[in-house]
């Protein structure tokens, strides 16, 4: 899966789980300010991404993940 | 309302000088949403079967993000609280002087059941991080406090079917004693789940024919229902000063315990009778001043018999008109008392007592003046509203006219 296709899937997943507008899901968007989601939302997003991409993301990997881009890189790096 | 119960005091104790007014009503019920639809629904025929708040749409109150972390019981509560706050109008009070007391039997049971099934199928690491906020009973009160930024006491009472009566009673005390100037109080329940239904069915508490007919010879159990009822209570002088509409006053309350059996009431309704007596004492009135009883009346063989015995022990042959709105509403468990408190407030408003739906043949040994077939006119006086819960929890509230 190339990066663009993967990000498209990532974005669909985020929109579905977080109920955010698709145009807001860009790599530089921060979870807290731009998407207004909290740590519980992030956990739920990661669970959905694990299902979508068939990867496993341990909680310890989430430290410092505060933007869409960082979260995407984390998941994409496991493919 | 009493402040102390001091037998050495000349009057038996001190009484609160602050009065508690009911100034806002919000109902999310099986017969309709909002106090007007609720009231109209109490006069309509009641179809047999489990009673749900059909086609409930939470979107006017909660956005999609919020909905993911609000169980159905919590959605009902927020909606009912919002309706009650709108009805009350602007309180103009400091946020720390307004609190939230809600009652619920089981909280977010549906979420818990769904997530347990998910965990069994896909593993516990798939359980939503929102499970705890979804299921915890106190999420209901907390969500209302967050919505209106209310920073006074915020607590949840869980005494099964007496939950919301207790919550309202405790809220009224906070106003009478001066800790708060207004309270958002009531109950919320959404427990028509497969496991809860099985539990109630297997203990033979549920009507096998799906008909709620309180105090009838042929009653055979309660009919499951759901919903939320919320009242806004306010210190009387403050309510008057801002020109609020006052439906009724809360004059006295009582809480006691059967300490007998986890589900069966104390024989002869002795615990319920004692609770009603305490509530009258708290209100400073005598039985002959009660002009209407809004009964717990669940349509179970045991409750209705013992409640009728309690009423007869207290009122004898001078029984005031009794009704149970559970004929129409079914039994909404932890929200039942709050919905009944709303019915009481609207009985004052409309001068009318709704009939006990479905009841045709009152049990011979129950010497009650039960309102059946047709509603009955209500003039004035004090109304007592009863709620009794599994666990032997009794709660009674005495309401008075707005004056």
């Amino acid at each position: 899966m190339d990066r663009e296709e993967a990000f498209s899937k990532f974005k669909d997943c985020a929109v579905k789980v977080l109920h955010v507008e698709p145009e807001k899901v860009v790599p530089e968007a921060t979870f807290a300010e731009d998407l207004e989601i909290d740590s519980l939302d992030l956990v739920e997003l990661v669970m959905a991404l694990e299902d979508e991409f068939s990867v496993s993301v341990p909680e310890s990997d989430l430290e410092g993940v505060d933007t869409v881009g960082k979260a995407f890189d984390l998941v994409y790096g496991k493919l | 309302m009493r402040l102390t119960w001091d037998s050495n005091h000349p009057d038996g104790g001190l009484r609160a000088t602050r009065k508690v007014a009911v100034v806002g009503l919000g109902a999310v019920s099986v017969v309709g949403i909002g106090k007007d639809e609720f009231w109209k629904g109490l006069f309509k025929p009641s179809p047999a079967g489990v009673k749900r708040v059909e086609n409930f749409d939470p979107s006017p109150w909660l956005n999609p993000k919020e909905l993911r972390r609000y169980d159905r019981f919590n959605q009902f509560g927020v909606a009912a609280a919002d309706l009650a706050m709108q009805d009350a109008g602007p309180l103009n009070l400091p946020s720390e002087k307004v609190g939230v007391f809600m009652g619920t039997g089981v909280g977010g049971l549906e979420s818990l059941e769904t997530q347990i099934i998910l965990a069994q199928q896909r593993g516990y690491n798939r359980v939503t991080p929102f499970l705890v906020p979804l299921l915890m009973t106190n999420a209901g009160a907390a969500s209302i406090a967050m919505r209106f930024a209310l920073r006074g006491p915020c607590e949840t009472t869980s005494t099964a079917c007496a939950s919301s009566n207790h919550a309202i009673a405790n809220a009224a005390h906070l106003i009478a004693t001066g800790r708060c100037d207004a309270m958002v109080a009531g109950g919320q329940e959404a427990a028509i789940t497969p496991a809860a239904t099985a539990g109630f069915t297997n203990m033979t508490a549920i009507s096998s024919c799906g008909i709620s007919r309180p105090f009838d010879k042929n009653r055979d159990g309660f009919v499951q229902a759901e919903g939320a009822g919320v009242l806004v209570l306010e210190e009387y002088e403050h309510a008057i000063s801002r020109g609020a509409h006052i439906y009724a006053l809360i004059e006295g309350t009582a809480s006691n315990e059967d300490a007998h059996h986890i589900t069966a009431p104390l024989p002869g309704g002795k615990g319920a009778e004692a609770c009603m007596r305490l509530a009258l004492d708290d209100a400073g009135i005598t039985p002959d001043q009660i002009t209407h009883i809004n009964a717990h009346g669940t349509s179970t063989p045991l409750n209705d018999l013992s409640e009728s015995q309690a009423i007869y022990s207290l009122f004898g042959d001078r029984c005031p008109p009794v009704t149970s709105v559970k004929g129409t509403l079914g039994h909404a468990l932890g929200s039942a008392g709050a919905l009944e408190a709303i019915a009481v407030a609207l009985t004052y408003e409309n001068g009318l007592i709704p009939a006990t739906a479905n009841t045709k043949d009152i049990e011979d040994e129950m010497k009650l003046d039960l309102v059946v077939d047709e509603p009955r006119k209500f003039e004035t006086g004090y109304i007592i509203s009863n709620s009794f819960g599994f666990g032997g929890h009794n709660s009674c509230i005495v309401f008075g006219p707005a004056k």
Side-chain angles (χ1 to χ4, degrees), chain A residues 36 38 41 44 50-51, chain B residues 65 68-69 122 126 130:
Chain A
E36 293 178 45
D38 61 23
D41 291 307
E44 196 163 50
E50 286 178 329
D51 286 348
Chain B
K65 267 180 81 168
R68 288 165 45 232
R69 49 182 82 185
R122 300 188 52 208
R126 296 289 92 184
F130 296 117

Side-chain angles (χ1 to χ4, degrees), chain B residues 100-273:
Chain B
V100 184
F101 274 13
M102 294 294 288
T104 182
V106 290
L109 187 62
E110 189 176 23
S111 298
L112 179 61
E113 283 187 37
T114 308
Q115 291 294 314
I116 287 173
I117 292 166
L118 178 91
Q120 299 291 339
Q121 291 171 342
R122 300 188 52 208
Y124 278 92
N125 62 351
R126 296 289 92 184
V127 168
T128 171
F130 296 117
L131 178 59
V132 173
L134 279 163
L135 74 87
M136 60 191 201
T137 53
N138 55 308
S143 300
I144 294 167
M146 286 192 290
R147 183 177 188 84
F148 298 104
L150 304 176
R151 299 200 160 84
C154 179
E155 301 173 18
T156 293
T157 305
S158 191
T159 47
C161 308
S163 298
S164 51
N165 242 30
H166 278 137
I168 293 166
N170 293 336
H173 275 259
L174 286 185
I175 295 174
T177 55
R179 168 62 184 89
C180 291
D181 291 329
M183 290 293 291
V184 179
Q188 47 195 146
E189 201 81 79
I192 309 175
T193 68
T197 302
F200 283 130
T201 303
N202 296 347
M203 72 190 290
T204 67
I206 292 182
S207 168
S208 58
C209 57
I211 298 174
S212 176
R213 42 185 152 211
F215 305 105
D216 194 289
K217 268 180 196 165
N218 297 312
R219 71 192 185 281
D220 70 339
F222 74 84
V223 169
Q224 286 173 286
E226 59 179 4
V230 172
L231 292 80
V232 178
L233 310 180
E234 186 175 2
E235 192 273 322
Y236 179 78
E237 297 299 337
H238 189 269
I240 291 286
S241 71
R242 71 178 183 95
H245 176 70
I246 298 175
Y247 293 92
L249 304 181
I250 292 182
E251 301 276 2
T253 74
S255 172
N256 75 351
E257 166 66 32
D258 282 357
H260 167 65
H261 185 275
I262 196 67
T263 58
L266 199 59
K270 292 295 176 198
E273 180 199 343

Side-chain angles (χ1 to χ4, degrees), chain B residues 265-284:
Chain B
L266 199 59
K270 292 295 176 198
E273 180 199 343
C275 196
M276 291 167 77
R277 282 189 195 281
L278 282 166
L280 296 183
D281 182 17
D282 194 40

Side-chain angles (χ1 to χ4, degrees), chain B residues 39-45 292 321-325 328 346-347 350-357 369-379:
Chain B
W39 181 247
K40 273 189 252 167
L42 292 181
F43 299 89
K44 289 180 185 161
H292 169 41
V322 178
T323 198
S324 168
V325 291
T328 311
L346 293 171
T347 283
N350 296 286
L352 211 55
I353 301 170
T356 306
D369 178 13
L370 194 70
V371 180
V372 288
D373 300 328
E374 294 293 327
R376 207 180 296 181
K377 280 208 167 118
F378 174 81
E379 303 276 337

